């Protein structure tokens, strides 16, 4: 899957931004303006409107409502829109597999895990791993490492005497 994504935004029906990942350098002021304008535009659209439209030198895609969230991203004008929609869909599938039917609360209370899953899947705005199984395996291994690091250890174990 070759598609250089500029950003991905997840936001609620109420317009609350739940996740944002930027792959192009922009100032905070520009990011906030783009986010605010996109959220207002998308929420004002009718549900049956097209999932993609042009915006300057890039195209914007929104993928309906998954888990009570809108998934929106921007890609270069020449990029394949089907690949972009597949990337959004694959990310939703990964979230579903990890959280077991993902919902907005999963993203709110486990946002660091949602970012981690996105980072395992996309690197620099391009899909680095297309296999759901491999991405989920990497996430599972990271979870095991985190659990081991957080497990209580005795003082003797800390200094290497056991």
């Amino acid at each position: 899957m070759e598609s250089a994504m500029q950003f991905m935004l997840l936001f609620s029906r109420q317009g609350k931004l739940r996740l944002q990942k930027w792959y192009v350098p922009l100032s905070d002021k520009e990011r906030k303006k783009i986010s605010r304008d996109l959220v207002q535009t998308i929420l004002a659209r009718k549900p049956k409107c097209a999932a993609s439209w042009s915006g300057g030198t890039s195209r914007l895609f929104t993928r309906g409502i998954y888990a009570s969230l809108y998934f929106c991203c921007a890609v270069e004008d020449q990029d394949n829109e089907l690949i972009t929609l597949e990337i959004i869909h694959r990310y939703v599938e990964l979230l579903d597999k990890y959280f077991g039917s993902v919902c907005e609360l999963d993203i709110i209370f486990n946002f660091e895990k949602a970012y981690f899953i996105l980072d395992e899947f996309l690197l620099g705005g391009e899909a680095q791993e297309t296999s759901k199984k491999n991405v989920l395996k990497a996430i599972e291994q990271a979870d095991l490492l985190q659990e081991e690091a957080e497990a209580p250890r005795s003082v003797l174990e800390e200094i290497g005497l056991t």
Side-chain angles (χ1 to χ4, degrees), residues 40-79:
Q40 288 174 351
T41 302
I42 292 168
L43 290 177
R45 293 166 63 105
K46 291 183 175 135
K48 303 247 185 228
C49 282
S52 71
W53 67 98
S54 290
T57 60
S58 58
R59 284 192 313 198
L60 303 163
F61 293 91
T62 183
R63 188 64 183 160
I65 300 209
Y66 280 120
S68 72
L69 293 168
Y70 285 93
F71 287 69
C72 177
C73 60
V75 295
E76 298 294 324
D77 221 8
Q78 69 276 5
D79 285 343

Side-chain angles (χ1 to χ4, degrees), residues 93-132:
E93 287 179 327
L94 289 166
L95 291 171
D96 262 346
K97 282 276 196 203
Y98 184 80
F99 291 112
S101 188
V102 68
C103 69
E104 185 178 355
L105 289 175
D106 292 322
I107 304 296
I108 292 170
F109 294 115
N110 300 294
F111 65 91
E112 66 284 335
K113 193 53 72 175
Y115 277 109
F116 182 77
I117 293 169
L118 185 60
D119 290 341
E120 281 296 316
F121 176 49
L122 295 178
L123 180 65
E126 295 184 8
Q128 68 172 342
E129 180 57 71
T130 57
S131 166
K132 282 189 287 188

Side-chain angles (χ1 to χ4, degrees), residues 4 16 36 40 58 60 62 68 82 85 104 134 156 159 162:
K16 299 278 190 202
R36 185 179 58 248
Q40 288 174 351
S58 58
L60 303 163
T62 183
S68 72
L82 293 177
L85 292 172
E104 185 178 355
N134 289 346
L156 295 177
I159 58 174
T162 61

